[in-house]
Structure formats: C-alpha cells, structure tokens
C-alpha cells in the first residue's frame, strides 16, 4: 500500500487506543518501510524496474526478505511488544505498536505483486494478491477508499480528508498504465525510487500526525466551552 494509506492506518489504531500518542502509531505503521528504505540504500534489499516504467506493475520489489517477509513482521512486532512493555514499561503502547507493525504487511499483502516472502530465504513462497500489476485501477480505488475509511472511522478534520484524497490522487498515474506520469523517471533508477518513497513516508507521517491533532483540539475546545 502507498505511504499515505499506511499513515492513515494509524488513525484507526489511534481511535481504538486514544491515550497513545499518534507519533508512536505513525512510526509503528511504517516501521518495516523504514527498514526497506535503509536496506535498499545499503544494498541488502533490491528493487528493479522494466526499461520503461508506465505504472506500478513495471516496478519489481524482487528482494526484500528482511523488511517485508511475513516472518520478519511477526518478529519485529514481537520484539517491539516485549521491549515496549517490559523494558521501557509503557504498557499501553505495547499492543497498539505491535498491531501497527503487523498492519503494514497485512495491507501490502492485500495489494502487492507476489513479492512478499513468507520467511527469509531466497526460495520461499512469495505472497501478494497481484492487485497492483493485474488490476491497478481496482488497486487505486481500494487505496483511495481505504484512506477515506480511515479518516471517517477516526472522525478527522476536513483538512485531514483533503490531504488523504490529494496524496491518493497524486499517485494516480502510478496506477495507470495508460497515463504515464513522473514514475517514468524511476526506470533503471531504484535509488531515486527509494529516495522518493522515503520522502513520501516522512511527509505523509508529518501531515497525518499534525492534521489528526486538529480533531483533538476541536474536541478540547468543545469540552472547554461546556465546562
Ligand atoms: Zn511496504
């Protein structure tokens, strides 16, 4: 799933665990993507593209066993749960953080090509619904609908909705083999692709984080007025 909708997932978790700071939830939902960025930069994980990139199906995340395997997500979630609960002793954060970590792989499984390994090894079965390469327009609608659902469930502000919709629309050409957009520059440039994704992660986390506070401030204002 794209960065904006991973970030929006933190809104669902925040609604369920309202006393937890959204910053930690935003970091949890993108924890494995941070690892993917680092591992791609240092060459431990690898991405390739077709000679021309018309849409997401031309980008191949062909080696990401450490950041994006199902087993590594379970291990990262378990380690973060144990560290947060028993080492840092922040009991209320342990479960929502682990859920955030697992949400990332669940959402990627729902949309990706078969590029998500079950375990760590080269010959492992790889999983993914193949929505991106086979049904990219359906994937776009699913992502947009999911982002809006997160906002609705959370009860966010209009500006938060605007950002979620705009970032999804900005990704449209990446889903469209018929309309070629800026993704054409990623052809043969996996490090450029990684850098753009890293920037998207940071910008969407910051925007969703700041704009989700608007709703809380509004609630505080109403409470203050009534008291
Ligand atoms: Zn991912």
């Amino acid at each position: 799933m794209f960065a904006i909708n991973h970030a929006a997932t933190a809104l669902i978790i925040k609604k369920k665990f309202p006393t937890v700071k959204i910053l930690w939830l935003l970091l949890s939902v993108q924890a494995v993507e941070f690892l993917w960025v680092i591992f791609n930069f240092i060459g431990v994980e690898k991405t390739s593209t077709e000679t021309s990139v018309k849409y997401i199906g031309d980008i191949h995340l062909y080696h990401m066993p450490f950041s994006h395997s199902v087993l590594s997500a379970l291990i990262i979630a378990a380690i973060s749960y144990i560290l947060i609960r028993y080492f840092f002793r922040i009991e209320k954060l342990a479960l929502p953080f682990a859920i955030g970590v697992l949400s990332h792989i669940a959402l990627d499984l729902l949309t990706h090509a078969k590029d998500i390994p079950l375990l760590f090894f080269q010959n492992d079965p790889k999983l993914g619904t193949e929505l991106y390469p086979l049904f990219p327009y359906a994937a776009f609608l699913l992502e947009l609908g999911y982002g809006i659902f997160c906002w609705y469930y959370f009860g966010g502000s209009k500006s938060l909705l605007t950002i979620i919709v705009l970032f999804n629309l900005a990704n449209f050409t990446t889903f469209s083999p018929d309309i070629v957009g800026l993704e054409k520059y990623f052809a043969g440039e996996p490090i450029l692709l990684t850098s753009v994704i890293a920037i998207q992660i940071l910008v969407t986390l910051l925007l969703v984080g700041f704009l989700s506070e608007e709703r809380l401030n509004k609630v505080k204002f109403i409470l203050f007025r009534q008291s």
Side-chain angles (χ1 to χ4, degrees):
M1 197 156 264
F2 276 61
I4 184 63
N5 300 317
H6 281 301
T9 303
L11 299 171
I12 295 186
I13 307 174
K14 172 75 179 167
K15 178 85 175 182
K16 282 277 170 204
F17 299 88
T19 59
V20 174
K21 277 207 165 73
I22 191 133
L23 170 69
W24 301 119
L25 302 177
L26 289 164
L27 293 176
S28 75
V29 295
Q30 286 289 40
V32 306
E33 209 84 313
F34 284 123
L35 289 178
W36 179 85
V37 167
I38 293 165
F39 290 160
N40 266 267
F41 277 139
I42 63 176
V44 172
E45 296 195 341
K46 294 187 172 72
T47 303
S48 69
T49 70
E50 299 292 327
T51 43
S52 70
V53 173
K54 294 197 183 78
Y55 80 121
I56 190 162
D58 295 328
I59 296 168
H60 307 299
L61 310 172
Y62 72 94
H63 186 63
M64 48 177 190
F66 307 112
S67 68
H68 272 71
S69 68
V70 174
L71 179 62
S72 53
L74 290 170
I75 291 174
I76 295 165
I79 291 175
S80 49
Y81 181 90
I82 291 165
L83 280 180
I84 293 168
R85 178 154 190 182
Y86 298 106
F87 186 76
F88 296 107
R89 296 189 180 280
I90 314 171
E91 198 162 320
K92 66 177 183 179
L93 177 61
L95 182 61
F97 194 96
I99 291 172
V101 171
L102 293 176
S103 77
H104 188 105
I105 287 294
L107 292 169
D108 280 359
L109 281 169
L110 193 65
T111 50
H112 273 220
K114 287 193 189 305
D115 53 22
I116 299 175
L118 192 57
L119 309 170
F120 294 136
F121 312 104
Q122 198 79 38
N123 297 324
D124 285 342
K126 289 190 174 172
L127 311 171
T129 59
E130 304 219 72
L131 219 51
Y132 281 159
L134 298 183
F135 305 101
Y137 293 112
F140 171 76
L141 290 176
L142 177 77
E143 294 232 2
L144 176 64
Y146 175 75
I148 293 172
F149 169 76
C150 293
W151 166 83
Y152 174 78
Y153 184 80
F154 177 69
S157 65
K158 281 193 184 120
S159 36
L160 181 59
L161 174 64
T162 307
I163 285 299
I164 290 173
V165 171
L166 280 181
F167 268 82
N168 270 285
L169 291 179
N171 290 329
F172 179 72
T173 62
T174 312
F175 290 92
S176 156
D178 305 305
I179 306 167
V180 180
L182 294 174
E183 65 275 4
K184 69 180 175 185
Y185 295 110
F186 295 145
E189 300 284 352
I191 292 300
L192 175 65
L193 170 72
T194 308
S195 310
V196 169
I197 290 178
I199 292 165
Q200 268 195 14
I201 295 171
L202 292 175
V203 170
T204 53
L205 289 192
L206 284 172
L207 284 171
V208 170
F210 280 124
L211 295 176
S212 69
E213 294 291 322
E214 269 184 24
R215 165 189 163 274
L216 299 178
N217 288 338
K218 209 179 283 174
V219 172
K220 276 183 209 153
F221 177 70
I222 292 165
L223 287 175
F224 178 74
R225 250 191 350 188
Q226 284 174 349
S227 63

